[in-house]
Amino acid sequence: MCAFALFCVLSGVVYLVNDVADRESDRQHPLKARRAIASGALPVSVALIAAAALGFVGLGGALAIGRGFATVALAYLALQLLYSGPLKHIVIIDVLTIAIGFVLRAVAGAVAVRVEISHWLLVCTILLALFIALARRRHEIVLLAGSARSHRPILGEYSAYLLDQMIGVVTASTLVAYVFYTISPETQEKFGTPWLGLTIPFPLYGIFRYLYLVHQREGGGSPPTCC
C-alpha cells in the first residue's frame, strides 16, 4: 500500500512538471485548456515548488522501503521527466517511453512485495501500455484535426492511418502474448490449473471495446472514462 501511494506521489510530480512544460500548447486544446496550470488557476511557481516537495517525499519514502524499490522509483521519475523534456518530441520514442513507464510501475510493485518478476508481466504490460498510448495519439489527431501540429509538433509526425497500422500490430501482439501466457506450462504449473485459457474472452472484450470507442465514438483520450 505504501509503495502504491509513493508511486501516486511520483506520478503527481510528473504530471505537474509536464503540465508546466505544456501549458502554452494546452491552452490551444479544447479539453486540456481547463487544466489548472493551463487555465491559470494554479501558478507555475506553486506547481514547481509542489513538484519538488512531492519528489523529495516520494524518493525518500521509496528509499525507506528498500534500495531496490528506490532504484526503480528513481528510474521511473527520471524517465518521465525526460519524457516531459526531449523524448516526447521524438516520433515513436515518445509512445515507447510512456509504455516503459508502465513497465517500471509493474516492476516496482513486484520489487515492493518481493516476488519474482515474470517475463510475461513485462511483455503483456508494455504491449498493453503501448496500445493505449497509440490510441491516445490517434484521439488527439482526430480531435484536433488540422491544428494538431500547432498544439504539439510531434503529432505532425503521425497520421490516423499510420497509428491504425501500429495499433493493429500491437493489438494482435497483446492478445497473442496473453494467449501464450495462459497456455504456458510454466504458468499452468505456477497456478496449478490448466484452465486459464478460459479467461481469454475478458481481454478480448476489453481491447475490442476500447477499439470501438476509439474508432466509432472518436474516444480513447482518457482510458479510465472509456466505459
Side-chain angles (χ1 to χ4, degrees):
M1 191 65 180
C2 290
F4 171 78
L6 288 171
F7 258 76
C8 288
V9 169
L10 293 176
S11 295
V13 174
V14 174
Y15 283 119
L16 284 169
V17 172
N18 193 61
D19 281 4
V20 167
D22 288 350
R23 63 189 183 279
E24 296 299 333
S25 60
D26 283 350
R27 287 169 184 152
Q28 304 174 34
H29 193 283
L31 300 178
K32 295 180 182 179
R34 303 172 189 170
R35 291 179 175 179
I37 298 174
S39 66
L42 179 65
V44 171
S45 57
V46 175
L48 291 177
I49 291 172
L54 289 173
F56 178 79
V57 171
L59 292 177
L63 186 59
I65 290 180
R67 289 185 179 180
F69 181 79
T71 299
V72 179
L74 180 60
Y76 168 79
L77 184 60
L79 179 67
Q80 296 308 306
L81 291 178
L82 282 172
Y83 172 80
S84 297
L87 296 184
K88 67 180 175 184
H89 301 297
I90 305 175
V91 65
I92 300 177
I93 296 297
D94 60 332
V95 289
L96 283 174
T97 302
I98 295 172
I100 293 171
F102 281 96
V103 172
L104 288 175
R105 294 185 194 190
V107 170
V111 172
V113 297
R114 295 179 174 82
V115 297
E116 182 182 355
I117 301 172
S118 168
H119 59 278
W120 290 112
L121 172 69
L122 302 181
V123 170
C124 291
T125 300
I126 194 170
L127 288 173
L128 185 58
L130 192 56
F131 166 75
I132 294 174
L134 291 169
R136 292 190 63 180
R137 282 288 182 270
R138 188 186 190 283
H139 173 263
E140 286 183 298
I141 288 176
V142 171
L143 178 66
L144 298 172
S147 62
R149 180 186 286 271
S150 61
H151 167 65
R152 184 181 297 181
I154 190 62
L155 294 179
E157 302 295 329
Y158 293 102
S159 66
Y161 175 77
L162 173 61
L163 289 168
D164 284 341
Q165 301 304 304
M166 292 180 174
I167 290 170
V169 171
V170 174
T171 300
S173 300
T174 302
L175 292 173
V176 169
Y178 185 80
V179 169
F180 273 96
Y181 164 70
T182 60
I183 65 176
S184 166
E186 172 192 349
T187 303
Q188 293 180 0
E189 180 180 355
K190 180 177 181 179
F191 290 99
T193 176
W195 302 109
L196 288 176
L198 296 177
T199 65
I200 293 174
F202 296 102
L204 272 173
Y205 175 80
I207 288 176
F208 288 165
R209 172 68 179 174
Y210 193 69
L211 287 173
Y212 163 75
L213 294 172
V214 168
H215 290 278
Q216 295 299 110
R217 298 292 183 88
E218 296 185 352
S222 181
T225 62
C226 292
C227 57

